Amino acid sequence: MNQAITAAAPISSTTRWLRWANLAFMLYLLLLAVSMVGSGFKWATGDQAKVLFEFASHPVAGLMIGLIATALIQSSSTVTSIIVGLVAGGLPVETAIPMIMGANIGTTVTNTLVSLGHIRDKEEFKRAFASATIHDFFNLLAVAIFLPLEMMFGILEKVSHWLVSPFLATGDMSIKGLNFIKPMTKPVVGAIKEPLTTFGDAIGGSLLIVIGIATIFVAITVMGKLMKKLMVGRAREILKSAIGRGPIHGIVSGSIVTVLVQSSSTTTSLMVPLVGSGVLKVRDVYPFTLGANIGTCITALLAATAVSGEFAVFALQIALVHLSFNILATLLIFGIPLLRELPIKAADIISDMAVKNKAVVAGYLLAVFLVLPGTILALSA
């Protein structure tokens, strides 16, 4: 019996090492994919890039594109990585900022769907639905405050520009310190690009973008699964020790757990059953949710390291916009008692309505994630 146990031990250790190796490969795939999106975009659009961006140049239209894309894909990490790739291909930073904000709202639909698992018990469902929608209302409030400020004063653009200024080179606008990624990705992108040249610039570039986006999907999905297997025990320990230690501890823990499992949807969805079953209160998980918003920015920052060339610094800048937006929103909204209470009150009201009439849930999901953004997009077009 003891011999069998001893013999089995190295297998689990080998499996663990294989998972780490796989994770490193998936990270490389993510960097490669972002590089493909950027290269394909430059190749396909050439001088026509500005015409393509005119549609998204209205901040509200950009916001809705980010929201719908993330609600459909269900991963803000994926959408923000794609946006980093597009900026690397020439999408102006000011056009991409509202898209990043929209991605923040779109990602919150997952935990709302998770809360439906408690729908049979009224009390449980009320708690679960409130804990899920508090994330929605916080992100909606953050956009309601920061989008007008951005349109008027360009706050996030200025903050992120100040953060990337040390990387600005005097010649081409490349990130000198991060160019070690380029030799690892450029030959592979070139090899993929070569057979596509037969299709011409527009189709070849578009195909390279499609391959890049598909690879981002695969890399982030597999990374998420691997991180859960490697870190879920540790993440759960952090989770347990974080509860009831105060808001700052909650925010920091939420950020760490999200970095470990590589998905804010996973982090916030972990909370919903705990609140539904009465183990935690809505107020307890609120700071943790804000930490998840901050932790999810790591993927776009990693993606930005894959970029080289004239737009490299802007790719890093848009990743830093995402981080700055979530940190500033947390400091402002959570720091002012009046604003801090608004998401809690809104979640309480909508959960009361949802308990009385289940159609409110469907109406809420459709209105916030499909009807409203779709209508605004149609009007802006």
Side-chain angles (χ1 to χ4, degrees):
M1 178 92 174
N2 285 346
Q3 283 175 329
I5 292 167
T6 314
I11 298 167
S12 62
S13 170
T14 310
T15 308
R16 194 168 177 82
W17 278 111
L18 280 171
R19 281 177 183 161
W20 278 112
N22 200 353
L23 184 68
F25 177 66
M26 284 302 140
L27 178 58
Y28 170 72
L29 261 192
L30 173 67
L31 300 174
L32 187 67
V34 171
S35 200
M36 276 193 271
V37 172
S39 300
F41 201 72
K42 272 186 230 174
W43 183 23
T45 57
D47 300 326
Q48 277 83 47
K50 281 182 183 166
V51 180
L52 279 174
F53 300 143
E54 272 172 15
F55 172 66
S57 62
H58 192 279
V60 177
L63 178 79
M64 295 306 146
I65 290 166
L67 195 160
I68 292 172
T70 313
L72 294 174
I73 293 168
Q74 267 318 282
S75 168
S76 61
S77 301
T78 304
V79 173
T80 51
S81 297
I82 292 167
I83 293 168
V84 166
L86 293 176
V87 171
L91 177 73
V93 171
E94 61 269 24
T95 304
I97 290 173
M99 292 183 186
I100 289 279
M101 291 182 175
N104 247 33
I105 300 171
T107 193
T108 61
V109 74
T110 315
N111 48 6
T112 309
L113 294 171
V114 168
S115 71
L116 300 180
H118 297 270
I119 206 157
R120 285 187 296 274
D121 184 305
K122 279 190 174 185
E123 276 306 304
E124 272 192 31
F125 178 60
K126 178 179 159 44
R127 290 194 294 261
F129 194 65
S131 78
T133 52
I134 199 164
H135 194 192
D136 304 356
F137 288 119
F138 177 85
N139 286 344
L140 285 164
L141 180 60
V143 168
I145 293 168
F146 280 91
L147 185 62
L149 286 175
E150 190 60 32
M151 286 163 75
M152 287 187 283
F153 309 110
I155 289 173
L156 294 170
E157 194 181 353
K158 283 174 183 151
V159 168
S160 58
H161 185 272
W162 175 72
L163 289 170
V164 294
S165 54
F167 293 107
L168 287 170
T170 46
D172 69 337
M173 305 270 274
S174 64
I175 305 166
K176 282 182 171 174
L178 299 175
N179 267 357
F180 65 92
I181 301 286
K182 187 181 176 180
M184 293 163 61
T185 57
K186 198 179 179 182
V188 185
V189 174
I192 296 164
K193 197 175 172 179
E194 203 174 320
L196 300 176
T197 50
T198 53
F199 297 103
D201 291 355
I203 295 172
S206 302
L207 287 170
L208 192 61
I209 294 170
V210 170
I211 295 166
I213 289 173
T215 311
I216 287 173
F217 268 103
V218 172
I220 286 180
T221 306
V222 177
M223 274 169 79
K225 284 178 181 171
L226 286 166
M227 288 298 260
K228 274 180 227 173
K229 283 174 184 169
L230 287 163
M231 297 293 190
V232 81
R234 230 167 288 180
R236 205 172 282 137
E237 281 166 32
I238 296 170
L239 197 65
K240 282 177 185 170
S241 67
I243 307 308
R245 291 259 198 111
I248 292 168
H249 201 275
I251 291 166
V252 172
S253 306
S255 303
I256 294 168
V257 171
T258 306
V259 169
L260 293 180
V261 298
Q262 275 293 292
S263 166
S264 59
S265 301
T266 304
T267 309
T268 51
S269 298
L270 278 170
M271 300 284 96
V272 173
L274 293 172
V275 178
S277 54
V279 175
L280 299 173
K281 292 187 173 73
V282 174
R283 207 171 274 276
D284 293 336
V285 301
Y286 184 17
F288 201 86
T289 301
L290 309 189
N293 270 356
I294 296 165
T296 197
C297 300
I298 190 76
T299 317
L301 285 165
L302 285 171
T305 63
V307 180
S308 58
E310 58 178 326
F311 298 116
V313 76
F314 301 123
L316 178 62
Q317 188 178 349
I318 196 64
L320 287 166
V321 162
H322 193 203
L323 183 64
S324 309
F325 171 54
N326 283 319
I327 290 174
L328 289 172
T330 301
L331 290 171
L332 181 73
I333 297 170
F334 205 79
I336 298 170
L338 179 69
L339 292 176
R340 188 193 309 154
E341 291 301 311
L342 289 178
I344 296 175
K345 283 175 181 163
D348 195 42
I349 292 164
I350 195 93
S351 59
D352 270 339
M353 289 163 69
V355 166
K356 287 170 190 162
N357 185 358
K358 301 293 186 289
V360 168
V361 181
Y364 170 76
L365 286 169
L366 286 170
V368 174
F369 299 106
L370 276 176
V371 179
L372 187 68
T375 308
I376 292 169
L377 262 184
L379 291 171
S380 3

